[in-house]
Amino acid sequence: MAVADMNIRDRSRPMTGEERKVIMASSAGTIFEWYDFYLYGSLAAIIGAQFFTAFPEATRNVFALLAFAAGFIVRPFGALVFGALGDIVGRKYTFLMTILIMGLSTFLVGMLPSYSSWGAAAPVILIILRMLQGLALGGEYGGAAVYVAEHAPANRRGYFTSFIQTTATLGLLLSLIVILAVQGYVNANWAPTAVLDAAGAAVLNPDGSPKMIKAFDLWGWRIPFLASILLLAISLYIRLQMNESPAFKKMKEEGAASKAPLREAFGTWKNGKIALIALFGLVAGQAVVWYSGQFYALFFIQNVVKVDSFTANVLVAWSLILGTGGFVFFGSLSDRIGRKPIILAGCAIAALTYSFVFPLLTRTANPALHAAQQTPVTVTASPEDCSFQFNPTGTAKFTSSCDIAKATLARNSVNYQSVEDAAATVAQIKIGDTVIPAYDGAALTGDDLKNATAAFNKGVNDALTAAGYPLSADANTSVVKAAHFFDIFTGQKITVVLILTYLIVLVTMVYGPIAAMLVELFPTRIRYSGLSLPYHIGNGWFGGLMPATAFAISAQTGNVYGGLWYPIVIAAATVVIGALFVPGGTHKKDIFADDAR
């Protein structure tokens, strides 16, 4: 092939048709892989209700997000395994392995029985499948970024790698569109079903009406996972048509490939220092901005702002449609002014504006809830009675009166202040002028526990209703609601879409140029391994754990916006570290200059 015979350093020429073909094929396959991975993120709340039913609702939300994060936690290990393989055996064959693992794991999630059928085995297997997805993704991104950059003209690396950067967002968008289509069809053709508790009794809403579950939430959510088997077949076909990177082929022919890429990439201070600078001066901030703008925003408007899942998906999908072009814009801009200024500017703007943007999202999307949150609410309890309600292992039981009080308020998106009273024997909630005593869940059993729970919940619900909290979603006429995908042309919905689009634009600033920047930091022989590890530690740990961590912080502080300090602090730290230590002008670098041995 002509690509294999060319001088790989001659990159000022236009890209050939064959090169465009393999790059677009790489991007298409990567979109499908991200689609597989983000199906879970888009359906986290629904899946949590199916697989974590043994836990209270507040804890269930944390578990659902942690299961989502499990796929990110293992990504650095996938980066080590597949990064080494990519530097030793080649980019193309590593692609084939990652897509096969990802596709089969996604299909099996759709087949997995729920907690009610398999008990504790169901969530355990779910998390294992998520970890397999994370391992596959750990090898995917580095290979895609390297593959495209090694084909692209030197003066347009940012532009061409930005198409790889769009694949994550396009994969999310594709997952949302498929979910919306399936959700609309299933719910239109199958009636809702009454929700039953473990004893078979009907579960009631705060107003006493039976709680119903829609057909999509009960079983229809499995269809997008099962349908991914078709995307797997398409992706495998695309990957089989791809050609190996010309730079890698030339290096193999000359015997210059690394025999121990991990040791060479991280075993010396020269290269190890680059990885650390990339992690803390670029990727950590990029990661929290990316996940705040896409996944935490989706979780926030569903679970905190109380927008129904269909409307939330519609609004986020439109923001992705409007904002995705920013990846290509900022990637191309980075070819002219450099990568570092754009990435750090995106982190700085996010750190400065998040504390304003998310409250604005609440005020716009659910005015009644925002107005009710202005009512003073306090929880008075002994400090010894209160726990930090973050339970990743599922072994802790939060039954104290303080924990029950705080969990109840968090579940209803109530902002509250904690007041310490060492003499208090039972926690008390004060909503406006109404005081509701909680109860000690560990000291009661049987009917006593049931009656105490019912009385407490009624007292809280009545007080919250009197304070203006819209506890019944159907009765809340102020909350944003879309009837179908194109039902966005009202002032409220357009404003929400614009707010979400602003968050996406910040994502494109930090993410559009990052692939080219990371490629330019490492030589060809260890490029796959070198950039994969810091990228996946940053996005897998700093970013992937962001939703669960932010939710836990919010529940602990009593402020629904308290968790935003996590991305704000990390983004700000990245700005400082990046400004001091990340090299500038890498967009002018010859990425093959260090290949000679």
Side-chain angles (χ1 to χ4, degrees):
M1 170 181 129
V3 174
D5 298 331
M6 74 181 184
N7 181 343
I8 61 174
R9 296 183 187 226
D10 180 17
R11 307 314 258 156
S12 59
R13 57 168 180 75
M15 179 168 278
T16 67
E18 183 67 20
E19 289 171 328
R20 290 181 186 276
K21 176 182 175 182
V22 296
I23 289 174
M24 293 306 157
S26 173
S27 299
T30 306
I31 288 173
F32 294 152
E33 192 153 0
W34 281 110
Y35 163 86
D36 285 350
F37 191 73
Y38 287 139
L39 271 181
Y40 184 94
S42 302
L43 296 170
I46 292 174
I47 294 175
Q50 294 289 322
F51 289 93
F52 303 106
T53 51
F55 307 104
E57 184 177 346
T59 307
R60 186 190 310 158
N61 286 335
V62 175
F63 272 116
L65 287 171
L66 283 173
F68 176 62
F72 292 92
I73 293 172
V74 301
R75 277 171 58 176
F77 302 102
L80 291 173
V81 173
F82 292 109
L85 285 174
D87 282 328
I88 294 172
V89 304
R91 296 22 170 160
K92 173 182 176 179
Y93 296 104
T94 306
F95 276 168
L96 291 172
M97 294 174 63
T98 59
I99 193 66
L100 188 61
I101 294 172
M102 176 69 77
L104 291 177
S105 299
T106 303
F107 178 75
L108 290 175
V109 170
M111 297 287 291
L112 184 63
S114 64
Y115 187 94
S116 61
S117 299
W118 278 19
V124 170
I125 295 173
L126 175 67
I127 292 176
I128 290 173
L129 292 174
R130 286 293 299 166
M131 293 174 73
L132 286 173
Q133 287 184 319
L135 287 172
L137 194 60
E140 167 64 25
Y141 176 83
V146 169
Y147 188 81
V148 172
E150 290 178 350
H151 279 86
N155 60 345
R156 303 196 74 191
R157 277 194 301 267
Y159 172 72
F160 282 104
T161 56
S162 69
F163 285 97
I164 290 295
Q165 304 307 90
T166 68
T167 60
T169 297
L170 292 175
L172 173 61
L173 178 60
L174 178 61
S175 72
L176 291 178
I177 290 174
V178 171
I179 289 168
L180 289 170
V182 174
Q183 188 177 33
Y185 178 80
V186 170
N187 288 339
N189 289 276
W190 281 269
T193 303
V195 177
L196 305 178
D197 60 20
V203 177
L204 302 180
N205 290 313
D207 62 2
S209 62
K211 187 174 184 179
M212 307 296 287
I213 183 171
K214 295 180 179 179
F216 180 82
D217 295 358
L218 184 62
W219 56 267
W221 64 269
R222 296 179 181 274
I223 296 175
F225 286 89
L226 297 175
S228 68
I229 198 71
L230 300 176
L231 295 181
L232 173 60
I234 296 171
S235 300
L236 283 174
Y237 174 79
I238 290 173
R239 295 268 164 107
L240 286 169
Q241 308 308 307
M242 291 166 58
N243 297 287
E244 186 54 84
S245 160
F248 182 82
K249 291 184 70 172
K250 183 175 185 295
M251 190 171 59
K252 288 287 285 187
E253 291 167 359
E254 295 175 350
S258 176
K259 294 179 174 59
L262 295 181
R263 184 171 67 244
E264 189 174 339
F266 309 113
T268 64
W269 176 242
K270 176 184 177 182
N271 290 326
K273 177 177 66 175
I274 296 173
L276 289 174
I277 290 173
L279 172 59
F280 294 106
L282 291 170
V283 182
Q286 166 261 304
V288 297
V289 174
W290 186 22
Y291 289 106
S292 296
Q294 293 190 168
F295 303 106
Y296 186 67
L298 178 60
F299 175 83
F300 182 84
I301 60 176
Q302 285 181 286
N303 294 277
V304 178
V305 186
K306 304 301 184 183
V307 176
D308 70 89
S309 62
F310 179 84
T311 300
N313 286 336
V314 167
L315 298 175
V316 171
W318 275 105
S319 73
L320 294 175
I321 291 171
L322 294 175
T324 297
F327 290 110
V328 178
F329 172 79
F330 288 113
S332 180
L333 182 64
S334 74
D335 286 326
R336 298 193 294 274
I337 69 172
R339 331 289 186 202
K340 174 180 171 178
I342 299 174
I343 296 171
L344 297 187
C347 290
I349 295 171
L352 291 171
T353 61
Y354 274 175
S355 59
F356 167 77
V357 171
F358 279 86
L360 177 62
L361 192 56
T362 304
R363 184 164 63 248
T364 305
N366 195 341
L369 175 63
H370 180 267
Q373 287 174 339
Q374 310 314 306
T375 302
V377 178
T378 59
V379 175
T380 302
S382 169
E384 291 76 17
D385 197 33
C386 303
S387 306
F388 182 63
Q389 297 187 55
F390 185 69
N391 183 20
T393 63
T395 57
K397 301 296 183 182
F398 302 112
T399 57
S400 72
S401 61
C402 176
D403 292 341
I404 290 171
K406 289 186 174 182
T408 301
L409 294 177
R411 188 162 55 246
N412 290 290
S413 299
V414 179
N415 282 330
Y416 60 89
Q417 291 184 333
S418 297
V419 177
E420 294 185 357
D421 182 357
T425 56
V426 175
Q428 290 186 335
I429 297 175
K430 184 177 182 181
I431 302 172
D433 295 326
T434 304
V435 177
I436 308 102
Y439 61 94
D440 187 349
L444 301 174
T445 59
D447 289 340
D448 290 339
L449 177 60
K450 183 177 180 180
N451 293 335
T453 302
F456 172 71
N457 288 337
K458 184 178 185 305
V460 172
N461 290 338
D462 289 347
L464 290 177
T465 300
Y469 276 88
L471 300 186
S472 175
D474 294 337
N476 184 5
T477 58
S478 77
V479 69
V480 65
K481 189 172 183 63
H484 52 79
F485 187 76
F486 294 99
D487 181 22
I488 61 164
F489 298 103
T490 66
Q492 182 187 33
K493 281 173 274 196
I494 290 175
T495 303
V496 173
V497 168
L498 290 177
I499 295 170
L500 294 171
T501 302
Y502 168 78
L503 295 174
I504 296 298
V505 170
L506 294 181
V507 171
T508 65
M509 286 186 70
V510 300
Y511 199 56
I514 197 76
M517 182 78 186
L518 293 175
V519 164
E520 291 156 359
L521 293 177
F522 296 93
T524 305
R525 56 190 284 112
I526 60 168
R527 184 168 291 139
Y528 202 146
S529 302
L531 73 85
S532 291
L533 187 61
Y535 175 84
H536 287 293
I537 289 177
N539 284 275
W541 293 356
F542 286 93
L545 291 175
M546 187 267 161
T549 305
F551 179 85
I553 294 173
S554 295
Q556 174 66 16
T557 60
N559 184 345
V560 296
Y561 310 108
L564 294 173
W565 282 109
Y566 176 81
I568 288 172
V569 169
I570 292 178
T574 293
V575 172
V576 174
I577 296 170
L580 293 175
F581 299 106
V582 172
T586 61
H587 62 298
K588 299 177 181 178
K589 180 181 179 181
D590 177 1
I591 64 172
F592 306 109
D594 297 329
D595 288 354
R597 284 293 184 191

